[in-house]
Amino acid sequence: MNRIRERIKEIKSTLPGDVTLVAVSKFHPAEAIMQAYEAGQRVFGESRATELAEKAASLPDDITWHFIGHLQTNKVRLVVPHASLIQSVDSERLLRCIDAESRRAGKVTDVLLQVHVAMEETKYGFLPDELINLLDNGILEETPGVRVRGIMGMASNVDDDARIAADFKSIRATFDRIKSMSLPQAMDFNIVSMGMSDDYRLAIDCGSNMIRIGTTIFGAREY
Ligand SMILES: *Cc1c(COP(=O)(O)O)cnc(C)c1O
């Protein structure tokens, strides 16, 4: 039988009902995506603007595309028409750029703010306090072209479950802090995207409701 289809079914059968599975299809060909599609999967994550635009143009219209990688502002125009959720907003400049491009295109783009709690300096995202300050300063009143739906984060890339759980708990705590603020879009602020192939069960235990899984579904990526 088809392995991608089997893996999707296996993962889905163990997920709580309120957890959304994003199948991370970056670097995998259209045929692989179609196998997942045939298993009923409709939400896919991509991390490069051109790849997202090409796949969105050639694959079925009822697929929902999430952008999950670091997005350069000069690529925003390629992503906005296709992405139903941009998960990786990691700077004020990028947020404002997505807002401007969305308004130009006559749409409102759903986004997640990426929070940085991991040890690695190389990871992108706002520090929790930075994010609270940005929102406190009223940025959402100035950016009607985006709807902030929640936050996204990654745990440290370590072998230590205690550290990984601590990172997930800080991401969740940042979500809860923001949720308790009186924001313009408070009603729609309900997504906590955390957990990948190696750590998604732990992430769900720590309060995730959206997981992003690539390798476990599609196998190793060839870069
Ligand atoms: C690639 C990627 C994933 C998927 O990682 P796997 O370990 O292959 O499941 C999830 N989230 C982000 C932000 C990614 O870039």
Side-chain angles (χ1 to χ4, degrees):
M1 265 298 285
N2 175 314
R3 293 180 75 185
I4 291 173
R5 207 157 23 187
E6 292 306 304
R7 285 178 183 146
I8 294 264
K9 290 193 168 147
E10 254 170 53
I11 294 169
K12 281 209 159 154
S13 70
T14 67
L15 290 186
D18 62 339
V19 175
T20 301
L21 170 63
V22 180
V24 176
S25 48
K26 63 188 186 193
F27 297 93
H28 292 287
E31 302 81 68
I33 295 176
M34 284 313 295
Q35 289 175 17
Y37 182 90
E38 282 154 20
Q41 181 65 25
R42 291 294 180 272
V43 186
F44 292 88
E46 289 285 337
S47 62
R48 293 191 305 188
T50 316
E51 190 175 344
L52 169 66
E54 284 170 6
K55 285 174 172 170
S58 67
L59 286 159
D61 282 342
D62 62 344
I63 288 180
T64 298
W65 297 98
H66 289 191
F67 192 83
I68 63 168
H70 176 58
L71 180 55
Q72 291 168 307
T73 52
N74 65 354
K75 299 283 173 63
V76 165
R77 189 162 288 198
L78 261 178
V79 169
V80 160
H82 305 294
S84 70
L85 183 66
I86 300 177
Q87 294 207 9
S88 42
V89 176
D90 54 16
S91 70
E92 176 177 351
R93 181 160 170 262
L94 178 59
L95 185 70
R96 289 190 186 277
C97 183
I98 296 168
D99 167 60
E101 179 56 26
S102 301
R103 287 196 271 159
R104 199 191 64 86
K107 68 178 282 196
V108 176
T109 301
D110 280 1
V111 303
L112 303 181
L113 300 169
Q114 184 170 353
V115 61
H116 178 122
V117 299
M119 301 192 305
E120 296 86 19
E121 295 287 326
T122 50
K123 288 204 163 86
Y124 292 100
F126 298 93
L127 297 173
D129 286 338
E130 232 178 359
L131 198 47
I132 306 284
N133 281 338
L134 182 70
L135 296 167
D136 250 344
N137 289 336
I139 187 157
L140 298 186
E141 277 86 1
E142 297 168 27
T143 53
V146 294
R147 180 166 48 213
V148 176
R149 299 292 315 280
I151 67 175
M152 184 272 262
M154 279 180 262
S156 301
N157 191 11
V158 292
D159 239 350
D160 171 7
D161 273 4
R163 170 72 207 216
I164 295 170
D167 286 349
F168 286 144
K169 285 175 190 163
S170 339
I171 296 167
R172 175 70 206 207
T174 306
F175 171 84
D176 291 335
R177 277 171 78 190
I178 298 172
K179 184 79 182 165
S180 72
M181 297 167 71
S182 51
L183 297 176
Q185 306 149 359
M187 294 277 289
D188 296 323
F189 189 84
N190 50 24
I191 300 175
V192 185
S193 172
M194 56 186 194
M196 309 175 20
S197 287
D198 288 338
D199 56 20
Y200 71 92
R201 293 187 191 285
L202 196 50
I204 292 168
D205 289 343
C206 296
S208 169
N209 60 24
M210 181 173 280
I211 57 175
R212 312 176 307 269
I213 301 191
T215 309
T216 298
I217 295 171
F218 296 108
R221 290 177 285 275
E222 284 175 39
Y223 291 98

